[in-house]
Amino acid sequence: MIIGTPKEVFEGEARVAMTPDSALQLQKLGYECMIESGAGKGAGYSDADYKAAGVTVKKTANALWKDAEIIAKVRQPEAEELKHLKSGKTLISFFNPAANDAGMKAAKAKGANVIAMEMVPRISRAQKMDALSSMANIAGYRAVIEAGNNFGRFFTGQITAAGKVPPAKVLVVGAGVAGLAAIGTSTSLGAVTLAFDVRPEVAEQVESMGAEFVYLDFEEEQQDGAATGGYAAVSSPEFREAQLAKFRELAPEVDIVITTALIPNREAPELWTPDMVAAMKPGSVIIDLAAEKGGNCKLTVMDEKIVTDNGVTIVGYTDFPSRMATQASNLYATNIRHMMTDLTPEKDGQINHDMEDDVIRGATVAYAGEITFPPPPPKIAAIAAQPKAEVVELTAEEKRAAEVAAFKAQTKQQVTLLTVGAALLLGVGLVAPASFMQHFIVFVLAVFVGFQVIWGVAHSLHTPLMAVTNAISSIIILGALMQIGSGSFLVILLAAVSVFMTGINIFGGFLVTRRMLAMFQKS
């Protein structure tokens, strides 16, 4: 079968759904590759690059749509492009099925199969096809770069002979893929970064990236992101008011605000109100990544940059991935290639549209003359939701009774061990010579102390503990070296074995500890 990529007709779109590298991989799956002349120009790929990769270059879009049985695109197809669909043809692109009635009806009428890349379910094995995450990652990074381009100061703080420059303070609203990318870029540039999200489970991710998570003084428990496929859910009115109150408190302090909050199949929630914009300092910047869905700030103008009366710049661009077309095309083309890999299990260049497969079924919005959107929930949850165990509060009397019972059990165990140990030592002492007993008692005490020290250590500390045991191993080596000159062959043999085994423990312990410490180094 032939897979073709036409030139994007959406104004300003520079991405392309097939790169020379992805074409080589598609050919290994048994497909012939075809591209419209000039389709890759905006992403930095010439027709010659595609020809060198064995791709057929078509002069016109009509010729490509006619010959290709599989069409891979980036943007939602326009009405003119939908006319090219026909029975048996497969279209893979962003399709916006929830708000694209005309496109859905056209696909049904034509009998074409449509795979919407934004509908790929967020389960572990589908991450390689998650085009939404790929593009959101780029958008988050580019949002910070765009903010720096419009911000009149350094991100990082500096102390120079000419004076002190405070660091910029950045607030990222929404810690999804785009938000985390923005947080990582902002912190790497040296800004003081704050982040907020309605999902409390992302706080650790935010803090691990060097940012500060903004907590609300609010008692209501938010819905676990696991229950919504990793996306944020609609908040209660009370939570929203507490959230807005916190943002009003932060507005005069922050220099840059990057909003990324979106709820699937809904208008973007308003999180940065006009009074917050009015409270910001002149020269501040707002980057609204939700502009395409109405914006998290209602002053945002889609695809434009405006400056408010108090000097705040609001950027509402919706083409951040396209502004990094080469990188975005590479990632998106790789997502497409992985989708084709799943569609071609036999690698014979023939699509096997398995509607029993969770990923393929979830992404398919039209199939064999029927609309298959919305899909059923996947058999595997996007994130394993952790059941929350109910914590039973004990009374003071119950706590005391539990402590007494635990103390008695521990005392009984220790007395039993000491009694058995003393009986064994006494039994050995009845038959062994006095010189042996002196060394044996030291040995038993060493084993007992070592057991008590090691047994109480948490599993996560076992590796660094190896460095401490090297000191004990060194003492063993000294004892073995003192005995290795003995006249007894058995003593010499045991001493040599002790030196060998202890040497492995020492060198291995330091090697493992060094590797562990290297994990925490930047270089």
Side-chain angles (χ1 to χ4, degrees):
M1 299 179 75
I2 300 174
I3 178 169
T5 295
K7 186 176 181 180
E8 296 295 324
V9 297
F10 188 87
E11 185 178 355
E13 180 57 68
R15 290 173 292 176
V16 64
M18 182 191 296
T19 65
D21 286 340
S22 73
L24 292 173
Q25 299 299 321
L26 290 170
Q27 289 168 34
K28 291 180 181 179
L29 294 174
Y31 292 101
E32 293 183 33
C33 294
M34 187 179 293
I35 195 162
E36 182 184 349
S37 178
K41 184 178 179 182
Y45 299 115
S46 65
D47 291 348
D49 294 330
Y50 286 103
K51 289 178 180 178
V55 180
T56 302
V57 178
K58 288 287 185 177
K59 291 184 179 181
T60 65
N62 288 340
L64 183 135
W65 279 90
K66 179 181 178 182
D67 293 343
E69 296 143 297
I70 307 162
I71 299 294
K73 272 179 52 62
V74 178
R75 287 276 186 171
Q76 174 183 326
E78 302 284 348
E80 286 299 317
E81 293 177 304
L82 291 172
K83 294 178 181 178
H84 294 288
L85 293 179
K86 61 182 180 180
S87 179
K89 195 180 287 288
T90 299
L91 171 66
I92 305 175
S93 75
F94 285 108
F95 204 76
N96 191 20
N100 186 13
D101 288 338
M104 299 293 285
K105 290 177 181 176
K108 178 181 179 180
K110 299 281 188 177
N113 305 327
V114 178
I115 294 176
M117 291 302 290
E118 67 264 54
M119 293 302 298
V120 171
R122 285 189 165 176
I123 59 177
S124 295
R125 74 179 183 87
Q127 289 179 359
K128 59 190 177 182
M129 310 170 217
D130 191 352
L132 275 181
S133 293
S134 298
M135 299 302 103
N137 180 32
I138 294 175
Y141 171 85
R142 181 70 188 199
V144 178
I145 302 303
E146 201 68 37
N149 186 47
N150 288 278
F151 185 56
R153 296 208 321 265
F154 294 140
F155 268 66
T156 184
Q158 292 188 3
I159 298 177
T160 70
K164 181 180 178 181
V165 178
K169 184 172 271 190
V170 178
L171 172 64
V172 179
V173 180
V177 176
L180 291 174
I183 290 166
T185 308
S186 177
T187 54
S188 66
L189 289 174
V192 175
T193 307
L194 310 175
F196 174 83
D197 197 283
V198 297
R199 298 164 297 165
E201 65 267 24
V202 304
E204 290 185 3
Q205 299 178 47
V206 168
E207 291 167 355
S208 70
M209 299 180 74
E212 177 185 344
F213 190 78
V214 177
Y215 291 95
L216 294 184
D217 185 14
F218 192 77
E219 295 298 327
E220 179 181 278
E221 185 176 348
Q222 292 299 297
Q223 184 176 5
D224 193 332
T228 56
Y231 293 97
V234 180
S235 303
S236 69
E238 295 78 14
F239 183 88
R240 173 176 164 76
E241 289 304 315
Q243 174 182 309
L244 294 180
K246 188 65 177 180
F247 290 163
R248 288 189 180 96
E249 178 186 329
L250 293 172
E253 302 176 14
V254 295
D255 301 301
I256 296 170
V257 177
I258 298 173
T259 63
T260 70
L262 283 171
I263 298 172
N265 303 322
R266 288 176 177 265
E267 284 292 304
E270 183 181 9
L271 301 178
W272 208 257
T273 57
D275 61 299
M276 297 177 195
V277 178
M280 296 178 73
K281 295 172 287 189
S284 300
V285 179
I286 299 173
I287 307 292
D288 195 341
L289 291 182
E292 196 166 9
K293 294 291 185 179
N296 296 135
C297 175
K298 294 308 176 186
L299 297 179
T300 301
V301 179
M302 190 170 73
D303 292 322
E304 292 186 19
K305 177 175 71 175
I306 65 169
V307 180
T308 64
D309 293 338
N310 63 321
V312 177
T313 301
I314 304 177
V315 179
Y317 300 151
T318 60
D319 61 345
F320 285 114
S322 185
R323 289 170 182 257
M324 302 182 69
T326 302
Q327 184 79 70
S329 298
N330 284 333
L331 295 181
Y332 184 72
T334 300
N335 295 143
I336 293 284
R337 190 255 299 174
H338 283 303
M339 176 62 74
M340 294 304 302
T341 300
D342 270 28
L343 287 167
T344 322
E346 301 298 327
K347 298 183 179 181
D348 57 355
Q350 298 293 323
I351 281 185
N352 178 15
H353 207 118
D354 183 8
M355 294 295 276
E356 296 299 318
D357 184 288
D358 266 351
V359 178
I360 296 173
R361 174 64 188 89
T364 302
V365 298
Y367 181 70
E370 296 293 332
I371 294 176
T372 58
F373 174 84
K379 303 182 187 73
I380 303 172
I383 305 172
Q386 299 297 326
K388 294 179 173 59
E390 294 184 6
V391 179
V392 180
E393 290 291 337
L394 300 177
T395 63
E397 292 77 10
E398 290 173 332
K399 288 182 180 179
R400 179 168 178 78
E403 291 174 356
V404 170
F407 177 76
K408 288 182 178 179
Q410 188 178 16
T411 302
K412 181 180 179 180
Q413 181 185 23
Q414 290 178 346
V415 169
T416 302
L417 288 174
L418 289 173
T419 302
V420 173
L424 289 175
L425 282 175
L426 183 60
V428 173
L430 292 175
V431 296
S435 59
F436 173 80
M437 287 303 298
Q438 292 177 359
H439 294 294
F440 185 67
I441 290 174
V442 172
F443 171 75
V444 170
L445 289 175
V447 170
F448 178 76
V449 171
F451 176 80
Q452 292 294 329
V453 170
I454 302 299
W455 190 256
V457 176
H459 293 294
S460 58
L461 297 178
H462 279 174
T463 301
L465 186 68
M466 292 179 69
V468 179
T469 60
N470 288 335
I472 302 174
S473 301
S474 301
I475 297 173
I476 297 173
I477 277 191
L478 288 176
L481 290 175
M482 293 175 65
Q483 298 295 328
I484 208 166
S486 173
S488 171
F489 174 76
L490 181 60
V491 173
I492 294 174
L493 178 62
L494 291 175
V497 171
S498 298
V499 172
F500 176 72
M501 298 297 291
T502 310
I504 293 176
N505 188 34
I506 290 176
F507 295 116
F510 279 120
L511 180 62
V512 171
T513 304
R514 181 178 179 277
R515 293 183 63 183
M516 180 200 69
L517 294 175
M519 293 170 60
F520 299 94
Q521 296 176 350
K522 291 185 177 180
S523 59

